[in-house]
């Protein structure tokens, strides 16, 4: 079902891109030209993100030393950065045009696209240019080097649960009482919404979520009890 949705998003996105390009070459007024440009930019981002979801996900790969390293895909990160840029531009340009007719709900909703686009742009651009691991799994624990930075030993984790929102999914780690939260504002915000600050998601890596979750759970179950293997 998700594949059909992603296919529909891709086709609709690129269809509107074609329409936007047609309007660009046939615009008669400045407003028509602006709307055509915004349509082309926005739906190009929509179509590309839909296309990304159709690409086959990769499997977590073990390194020679036994570690599993999840790293961002520069190509995927670049597409998400383009999507963030599209929202940012729309969130600035469209409200400026609409402000000429006075305040409205449409103006407010249009302006909200700017901060959302900026967050996505900054996050994705950092992963595109910096590279490096997002998460590292080994025999002793798991480390996050993206977003909220932290490391947990498998023995620190009391429970692993699954979170979902639409097509997005992530693993959440509830730690034992003696383990402090990471010293981060984002971690405190997570706790306010009853969410563990320790969580991972494939993000822009293109790694298959189910395979990653299986690898995490397998390592945790094998090493969460110090007596195992003794």
């Amino acid at each position: 079902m998700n594949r059909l949705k992603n296919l529909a998003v891709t086709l609709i996105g690129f269809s509107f891109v074609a329409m936007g390009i047609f309007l660009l070459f046939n615009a008669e007024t400045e407003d028509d030209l602006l709307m055509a440009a915004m349509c082309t930019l926005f739906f190009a981002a929509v179509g590309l993100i839909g296309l990304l979801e159709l690409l086959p996900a990769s499997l977590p790969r073990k390194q020679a030393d036994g570690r599993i390293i999840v790293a961002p895909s520069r190509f995927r990160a670049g597409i998400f950065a383009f999507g963030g840029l599209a929202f940012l531009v729309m969130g600035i340009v469209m409200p400026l045009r609409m402000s000429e007719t006075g305040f409205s709900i449409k103006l407010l909703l249009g302006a909200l696209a700017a901060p959302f686009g900026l967050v996505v742009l900054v996050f994705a651009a950092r992963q595109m240019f910096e590279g490096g691991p997002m998460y590292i799994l080994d025999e002793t624990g798991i480390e996050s080097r993206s977003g909220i930075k932290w490391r947990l030993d498998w023995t620190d984790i009391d429970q692993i649960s699954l979170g979902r929102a639409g097509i997005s999914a992530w693993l959440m780690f509830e730690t034992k009482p003696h383990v402090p939260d990471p010293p981060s504002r984002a971690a405190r915000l997570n706790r306010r919404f009853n969410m563990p600050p320790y969580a991972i998601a494939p993000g822009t890596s293109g790694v298959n979520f189910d395979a990653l979750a299986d690898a995490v759970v397998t390592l945790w179950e094998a090493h969460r009890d110090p007596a195992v293997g003794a």
Side-chain angles (χ1 to χ4, degrees):
M1 183 61 73
N2 281 339
R3 189 167 184 82
L4 289 176
K5 288 181 180 178
N6 292 328
L7 179 59
V9 168
T10 303
L11 293 176
I12 291 171
F14 289 135
S15 296
F16 275 93
V17 168
M19 184 185 301
I21 293 174
F22 174 79
L23 293 174
L24 278 173
F25 286 99
N26 292 274
E28 296 181 355
T29 67
E30 185 179 337
D31 284 342
D32 290 343
L33 185 63
L34 177 63
M35 289 301 298
M38 291 298 99
C39 175
T40 303
L41 180 63
F42 175 76
F43 284 103
V46 170
L48 286 170
I49 290 174
L51 182 61
L52 279 185
E53 296 298 327
L54 291 173
L55 297 178
S58 60
L59 297 176
R61 293 183 180 179
K62 272 193 174 183
Q63 305 297 306
D65 56 7
R67 297 184 303 164
I68 295 176
I69 297 179
V70 179
S73 160
R74 293 184 186 274
F75 173 71
R76 289 175 180 267
I79 296 300
F80 278 99
F82 177 75
L85 178 63
F87 271 88
L88 178 61
V89 172
M90 287 188 62
I92 294 174
V93 175
M94 297 306 291
L96 286 176
R97 297 292 296 184
M98 289 187 291
S99 65
E100 297 174 2
T101 59
F103 178 81
S104 68
I105 297 298
K106 289 183 180 180
L107 189 152
L108 178 61
L109 293 176
L112 291 177
F116 172 78
L118 180 61
V119 170
V120 173
L121 175 60
V122 170
F123 175 79
R126 285 183 61 184
Q127 292 195 343
M128 180 174 61
F129 291 112
E130 292 181 359
M134 295 168 60
Y135 310 110
I136 299 176
L137 288 68
D138 57 32
E139 297 294 315
T140 60
I142 180 170
E143 180 179 359
S144 169
R145 295 188 178 181
S146 176
I148 303 175
K149 295 178 174 57
W150 47 263
R151 177 174 175 82
L152 290 173
D153 291 340
W154 298 121
T155 54
D156 293 331
I157 300 173
D158 186 55
Q159 184 177 350
I160 299 177
S161 57
L162 174 67
R164 285 192 181 276
I167 62 172
S168 300
W170 58 92
L171 285 180
M172 299 180 290
F173 306 105
E174 193 60 72
T175 53
K176 295 179 179 178
H178 70 277
V179 180
D181 288 346
S184 164
R185 291 182 180 178
R188 293 193 292 271
L189 183 62
N190 278 19
R191 284 299 184 193
R192 289 182 182 178
F193 288 93
N194 296 319
M195 294 274 291
Y198 298 102
I200 66 170
T204 60
S205 68
V207 169
N208 181 276
F209 174 78
D210 292 333
L212 177 61
D214 287 344
V216 170
V217 172
T218 298
L219 284 167
W220 175 59
E221 289 181 340
H223 301 286
R224 61 177 171 172
D225 185 351
V228 173

